[in-house]
Amino acid sequence: MNAVQIRSAEQALSVGTWLIVCGAMLYSVLTVTPLMRAHTPDAWDWTAPILPIVVDAAVVIVVRLDSVLARLGGEGGRWPVVLRWMTGIMTLALNTADSALRKDLVGVAVHAVAPLLLIVTAETGLAYRRAITAAVAGLEERERAERRRREQEARQRAQEAEEAERRRADEEERRERERREFDAKLAREQREHEAALAREQAEREERRERAERGARERAEREREQQRLAREHREREAIERAERERQEAEEKAARERREREERAERERAALLAAGPANDKQPEGQARRTVAAAFAAGVPVRQAAELCGWSVGWVSTRYQELRDTNPAALEGASR
């Protein structure tokens, strides 16, 4: 049997046992309660169901704990047996007492069915559970032995596979070592051949480099000569340009000094003319005012020199202050 079938059998045994226990308890309560009510004071009639319930509770404890101990394969000792038989006998006595007191043998037999069935079911269920537990333990032991055997076989197969793999790895390592040695030999020969080619190539490169270096040196000497000639020409051009620039600056300085001297003579002539009798033309008046401004002549004296009003001269002075270089240049012209 497999584990599913065993659990199904245990479930059927448990369900049947509890159906019998529940039926016997109900029947016992219904049978014993009138007996207890008849032998209890009227004021305490309500306590009549307590005794059958207490006895039946003990039956429930016995059945439940016996099933647990049987499933675990344990033994409770003498006291569980005493409790089991004591509750069974009490249930039997309480259920048959009323019929026995009336000397009703048929009633005794009828009321003894449920307690006797409960007692026998409890004992039989305990025996069944112990047998099932023993069978399950044997089955589990056989399964463990079978599992250990399979594990042993698996370990043996793994060891054989590992040994085969190790031999295969050794063979591959030997082949790989031979291949590496052969490759190393080929590589060594290839390196020697390449080294010879490299030496030849290096010699050719060295000859070529010497030739190129000679050509570069000749080209460098030619470029140096050209550079020196170019620098000589540039230096001559720079010197010539510097001489031309200096001559141009000297010429410009002479022209500037001449213009300044001419302007100074014109200003001196304008200022030496004295106060104007009549109002000078505007162009001449502007030159006179510019000359007076450049010489630092007061506004009123400049007005007397050009014959124009002080306000007009003040305005021209202000214009000359704003644009003095342009005004002086215009005045000099």
Side-chain angles (χ1 to χ4, degrees), residues 35-97:
L35 175 64
M36 296 305 299
R37 187 179 292 113
H39 293 81
T40 302
D42 294 339
W44 296 92
D45 284 347
W46 60 273
T47 62
I50 294 177
L51 181 60
I53 292 174
V54 170
V55 175
D56 293 337
V59 173
V60 171
I61 292 173
V62 170
V63 173
R64 179 58 181 165
L65 293 181
D66 282 345
S67 65
V68 173
L69 286 174
R71 187 69 182 88
L72 296 176
E75 290 287 343
R78 296 192 308 273
W79 289 109
V81 177
V82 172
L83 180 61
R84 187 167 60 250
W85 280 96
M86 186 176 67
T87 54
I89 293 171
M90 287 179 179
T91 302
L92 177 64
L94 289 173
N95 278 272
T96 59

Side-chain angles (χ1 to χ4, degrees), residues 100-117:
L101 291 174
R102 293 197 309 269
K103 301 184 183 302
D104 183 4
L105 298 179
V106 176
V108 170
V110 170
H111 288 92
V113 172
L116 291 175
L117 183 60

